[in-house]
Amino acid sequence: MSSLLIDNIGSLVTNAPDVGQGALGLLEDAALVIEDGLVAWAGPRALVPEGAARERFDAGGRAVIPGFVDSHAHLVFAGDRTSEFEARMSGRAYTAGGIRTTVAATRTATDDELRAGVRRLVGEALRSGTTTIECKSGYGLTVEDEARSLRLAAEQTAEVTYLGAHVVPPEYAGDPDAYVDLVRGAMLDACVPHARWIDVFCERGAFDGDQTRAILTAGKERGLVPRVHAGQLGPGPGVRIAVELGAASADHVTHLSDADVEALASGGTVATLLPGAEFSTRSPYPDARRLLDAGATVALAADCNPGSSYTTNIPFCIALAVRDMNMTPVEALRAATMGGAQALRRTDVGHLAPGARADFVLLDAPSHVHLAYRPGVPLVARVWKDGVPG
Ligand code: NIG
Ligand code: FE
């Protein structure tokens, strides 16, 4: 049995209110015991249980937090969209149509090129503290290219999402309903073996309410669990459909009616906020306070993709959420860890109570508050995944 003691932790976030103080389950002058890749014990240093010979790591009085759980990412693609970003920063608006540029590049890429891209981004995310990451397809949009995107994603993460309904590809521009039939027919058949989730970009310029419902229902019948891109660019029926179909998460949720907020607060669907997208499209941020004050469960994710948010960096998203979305540092950290886990319906990650996976991050800071207080500073000193240091 491998056993590791993380000792001399100045401030430990467990996200377990029965282990420490408040919503973050905070402990000061703490220690963690890791056994066989899982948290065996978390508590005050003075009370570390006797145990077998352990390796000891001295945290030097710094902060330790759970690894970030990034529940929304689009990592399987080729090329980038630098010039689109540059044009946007000169005043051009973001539209769903830019996705087609990446689809063209992705279709001509080899498996090895796409694999290398996913690996690079998953590694980049890990170095900034993300120990669990979801990954969508959506830049292939043929039966073969969607299935291979999911297959390549599944090589690097268990949280794989079929997003054949990202946008209607050019060859179906004249007959979008035929594309919807493909997405819920032969493409779904080819993708089901590789995916856990099904997603639809429900938005003007992408898929409407009827199309969204038809696709998600077909996915559900095949055992996939829905998640929905809803209300990113304008109001629409996405949240209503997400809650109605028992989706794990409604993502973006920037444009919400009162009924949407109420549905999220009273249903089991997590509201996932993606401030990197508003930052990179120069758009108004979602109203996090409205959701939190209504009682909705909120997750924060990076939405890494080449069009609207080309970042894997969750500390950056936390800083945006605190500074520009009026979330408290506690709410933002909780949303980026436990919230992400809830959006992925995972109970083994996002917290550091005994039995959890030993996925945690040592910060070069005395407290988690520094993630927002010191924006842009690389505070992630070391990352452990399944008890193994990166
Ligand atoms: O989450 N909204 C749809 N999908 C991505 C954008 C994809 C793209 O622009 O390539 C998003 O923002
Ligand atoms: Fe997205």
Side-chain angles (χ1 to χ4, degrees):
M1 182 174 74
S2 77
S3 187
L4 168 68
L5 171 68
I6 309 290
D7 203 3
N8 194 17
I9 301 172
S11 150
L12 173 65
V13 172
T14 65
N15 277 342
D18 50 333
V19 174
Q21 296 291 309
L24 292 183
L26 204 62
L27 288 162
E28 282 176 5
D29 205 17
L32 262 181
V33 177
I34 309 303
E35 274 165 13
D36 292 331
L38 301 177
V39 176
W41 182 88
R45 259 185 109 185
L47 301 181
V48 175
E50 295 288 311
R54 295 178 181 128
E55 197 185 323
R56 179 177 177 276
F57 179 92
D58 187 336
R62 291 174 288 177
V64 169
I65 61 174
F68 301 122
V69 180
D70 186 343
S71 59
H72 187 134
H74 309 247
L75 307 179
V76 193
F77 62 85
D80 71 22
R81 309 228 295 271
T82 311
S83 44
E84 182 188 306
F85 177 78
E86 202 176 12
R88 209 155 57 231
M89 294 304 113
S90 317
R92 191 179 304 161
Y94 173 80
T95 67
I99 292 169
R100 294 191 189 96
T101 308
T102 302
V103 170
T106 304
R107 286 177 177 177
T108 59
T110 65
D111 285 11
D112 281 344
E113 285 164 345
L114 294 177
R115 181 179 285 120
V118 180
R119 193 170 288 152
R120 174 177 70 85
L121 293 169
V122 169
E124 186 181 282
L126 185 65
R127 287 192 296 281
S128 62
T130 297
T131 46
T132 301
I133 192 163
E134 182 256 18
C135 183
K136 303 173 196 297
S137 64
Y139 293 114
L141 310 188
T142 64
V143 172
E144 294 72 25
D145 287 312
E146 283 298 294
R148 88 164 164 150
S149 296
L150 295 170
R151 179 169 48 75
L152 294 171
E155 291 177 1
Q156 323 242 356
T157 179
E159 303 301 342
V160 175
T161 302
Y162 167 45
L163 180 59
H166 202 185
V167 77
V168 176
E171 63 275 18
Y172 282 91
D175 193 359
D177 283 333
Y179 184 66
V180 171
D181 287 343
L182 181 70
V183 170
R184 61 190 183 129
M187 193 184 281
L188 177 63
D189 291 340
C191 289
V192 158
H194 307 291
R196 176 171 184 219
W197 310 99
I198 181 164
D199 195 344
V200 174
F201 187 13
C202 182
E203 195 75 51
R204 186 185 296 268
F207 296 88
D208 68 19
D210 289 344
Q211 294 168 330
T212 300
R213 189 179 280 103
I215 292 164
L216 294 178
T217 303
K220 262 184 95 165
E221 282 166 8
R222 302 293 300 277
L224 302 182
V225 181
R227 33 199 334 108
V228 186
H229 280 71
Q232 177 183 6
L233 307 175
V239 168
R240 192 164 22 92
I241 295 168
V243 175
E244 177 191 312
L245 295 182
S249 174
D251 298 46
H252 288 283
V253 294
T254 305
H255 299 267
L256 293 177
S257 66
D258 288 345
D260 290 337
V261 174
E262 207 172 296
L264 287 167
S266 52
T269 300
V270 173
T272 299
L273 308 182
L274 310 167
E278 278 75 33
F279 177 90
S280 301
T281 57
R282 224 177 240 158
S283 306
Y285 290 98
D287 191 345
R289 284 260 56 91
R290 191 175 167 215
L291 288 160
L292 287 162
D293 294 346
T297 302
V298 168
L300 259 185
D303 191 16
C304 179
N305 77 81
S308 66
S309 181
Y310 200 6
T311 182
T312 51
N313 197 283
I314 294 287
F316 168 65
C317 298
I318 288 176
L320 292 181
V322 170
R323 167 62 179 78
D324 289 333
M325 288 158 58
N326 297 314
M327 290 176 76
T328 66
V330 167
E331 287 167 341
L333 179 58
R334 179 128 179 132
T337 50
M338 199 65 174
Q342 288 168 295
L344 292 173
R345 297 197 171 158
R346 293 274 299 264
T347 55
D348 58 334
V349 296
H351 66 94
L352 295 173
R357 275 177 196 266
D359 292 355
F360 56 96
V361 177
L362 173 71
L363 298 178
D364 252 333
S367 143
H368 70 89
V369 180
H370 283 226
L371 289 167
Y373 176 43
R374 306 203 64 219
V377 177
L379 295 179
V380 172
R382 199 147 188 199
V383 182
W384 284 256
K385 187 169 161 56
D386 295 321
V388 179

